[in-house]
Amino acid sequence: MADSNKIRIVTDIIRRAPAGEFNAVFTDLKAILPPRDEAILSENALSACIAYDEDIMHVVTLPNDRKSLVTKHGRIGLSTYLDPSTNTLFKFDHLKKEVSDVKPHERTALWELTDPARKVYEARVQQYIQEYYPAGVAVVYAKNVQSEDEIIVCIEDHAYQAANFYNGLWRSEWRLNVKTGKLIGHLRIALHCLEDGNMHVTARKDAELQIPVGAPDVMSAAFAKAIRKEESAFQARQIEACTTDAEAAVKTLRRALPVTRFKMDWNQLVLYEVGKKLAAR
């Protein structure tokens, strides 16, 4: 196989690693690759790992137990990220998943202009997070994109329970154009169940809303109300799908469960057959 195909396969596997299982996937890759191909993994894994960590919004712990996120919106340089809440920079090792070199970020004129409004939105978002995502993390960025001021909110929450055979991840990203009131959101759920099988469940919703334009305190309230409504409706739909669509999903399985809804005990069935044959003799 050509090296280009090996690189494509390796990077694709890394980027598709289930949430909470990156280390296991990476370790398995190193184990199955022959020694002569280890260089392919070490030389080409970084870009895939960066894309993966930013896609899942990897949670990091900064000094004073401050939680932040690794996102494309906070990246400054190859592996340096901004935590806008504390205006600090940190380096993130995408292979070891470690934070280092935490230091203050310079206070530019743009920062002085935009951070007061950003903090207003952050306060609203944190209230929402504490109510609906007690273990979640949210980061609020203020950016100027093509001369348009934007508030960008990234929300992450997860339940990594590999010992109980499941891992689940929630991500949502919201972009608000402060001048026009246009609000665009991307909501995503990923679930991996691995008990007696290997089931991946993903769901996504894209939203485009309009909120009234006004002062930061007014817009931030409308912003929080809008995302609460959209995310609650999306979550309710997923719960409904899990409860009402389960029967239809079971019927589409290649091997449907028996009417008893219990798994067949094949070992016991063999014993029954042996017993019948012995009785016939």
Side-chain angles (χ1 to χ4, degrees), residues 97-152:
K97 309 302 180 189
E98 295 177 353
V99 171
S100 64
D101 196 20
V102 181
K103 60 184 179 181
H105 187 36
E106 63 176 330
R107 299 193 173 193
T108 63
L110 179 61
W111 182 88
E112 296 284 357
L113 182 65
T114 60
D115 198 61
R118 188 203 63 79
K119 288 181 177 178
V120 175
Y121 284 91
E122 183 177 68
R124 294 282 189 185
V125 170
Q126 291 302 332
Q127 290 177 359
Y128 169 61
I129 292 296
Q130 291 173 11
E131 183 177 356
Y132 290 93
Y133 304 94
V137 179
V139 176
V140 181
Y141 303 94
K143 287 200 166 187
N144 186 274
V145 181
Q146 296 180 349
S147 300
E148 295 285 346
D149 290 333
E150 287 188 348
I151 294 292
I152 302 174

Side-chain angles (χ1 to χ4, degrees), residues 27-142:
T27 300
D28 288 346
L29 271 176
K30 290 194 293 185
I32 64 177
L33 282 175
R36 65 178 181 277
D37 289 336
E38 287 184 0
I40 292 177
L41 180 61
S42 59
E43 293 173 3
N44 296 278
L46 181 58
S47 61
C49 291
I50 291 174
Y52 176 82
D53 288 330
E54 292 179 354
D55 182 63
I56 68 168
M57 301 182 185
H58 188 90
V59 179
V60 296
T61 303
L62 302 179
N64 299 321
D65 288 330
R66 158 71 188 169
K67 301 291 185 181
S68 190
L69 299 176
V70 172
T71 75
K72 62 183 180 181
H73 304 295
R75 176 146 52 103
I76 301 175
L78 181 61
S79 296
T80 300
Y81 293 86
L82 170 70
D83 175 47
S85 182
T86 57
N87 195 38
T88 55
L89 299 177
F90 61 91
K91 288 185 177 179
F92 185 68
D93 189 317
H94 292 274
L95 297 178
K96 297 180 180 179
K97 309 302 180 189
E98 295 177 353
V99 171
S100 64
D101 196 20
V102 181
K103 60 184 179 181
H105 187 36
E106 63 176 330
R107 299 193 173 193
T108 63
L110 179 61
W111 182 88
E112 296 284 357
L113 182 65
T114 60
D115 198 61
R118 188 203 63 79
K119 288 181 177 178
V120 175
Y121 284 91
E122 183 177 68
R124 294 282 189 185
V125 170
Q126 291 302 332
Q127 290 177 359
Y128 169 61
I129 292 296
Q130 291 173 11
E131 183 177 356
Y132 290 93
Y133 304 94
V137 179
V139 176
V140 181
Y141 303 94

Side-chain angles (χ1 to χ4, degrees), residues 121 176-182 210-216 218-220 222:
Y121 284 91
L176 172 66
N177 185 308
V178 177
K179 183 178 180 180
T180 65
K182 184 178 181 180
Q210 188 71 34
I211 66 173
V213 177
V218 176
M219 286 191 75
S220 63

Side-chain angles (χ1 to χ4, degrees), residues 26 40 47 101 107 131 145 158 164 202 239 247 261 275:
F26 197 78
I40 292 177
S47 61
D101 196 20
R107 299 193 173 193
E131 183 177 356
V145 181
H158 65 260
N164 294 320
T202 60
I239 294 173
E247 186 71 21
R261 291 295 186 266

Side-chain angles (χ1 to χ4, degrees), residues 187-262:
L187 292 63
R188 293 180 290 168
I189 291 175
L191 175 65
H192 184 207
C193 299
L194 51 153
E195 183 176 16
D196 294 331
N198 184 23
M199 181 177 68
H200 293 263
V201 178
T202 60
R204 175 177 181 136
K205 179 181 181 182
D206 298 324
E208 185 171 325
L209 311 170
Q210 188 71 34
I211 66 173
V213 177
D217 58 337
V218 176
M219 286 191 75
S220 63
F223 173 84
K225 182 179 179 180
I227 67 173
R228 180 187 297 110
K229 181 179 179 180
E230 287 295 318
E231 294 190 355
S232 297
F234 179 56
Q235 293 177 22
R237 173 64 189 112
Q238 303 317 307
I239 294 173
E240 179 185 358
C242 289
T243 54
T244 62
D245 298 349
E247 186 71 21
V250 167
K251 292 179 180 179
T252 64
L253 293 175
R254 184 176 59 176
R255 294 181 180 178
L257 292 172
V259 293
T260 60
R261 291 295 186 266
F262 290 103

Side-chain angles (χ1 to χ4, degrees), residues 250-281:
V250 167
K251 292 179 180 179
T252 64
L253 293 175
R254 184 176 59 176
R255 294 181 180 178
L257 292 172
V259 293
T260 60
R261 291 295 186 266
F262 290 103
K263 292 185 295 183
M264 180 66 73
D265 189 339
W266 296 104
N267 293 327
Q268 193 67 27
L269 184 63
V270 171
L271 292 177
Y272 288 148
E273 290 296 322
V274 172
K276 287 172 62 177
K277 291 179 180 179
L278 289 175
R281 292 179 181 179

Side-chain angles (χ1 to χ4, degrees), residues 170-187:
W170 165 278
R171 292 155 291 171
S172 57
E173 175 187 306
W174 295 93
R175 301 181 67 126
L176 172 66
N177 185 308
V178 177
K179 183 178 180 180
T180 65
K182 184 178 181 180
L183 178 60
I184 297 176
H186 306 291
L187 292 63

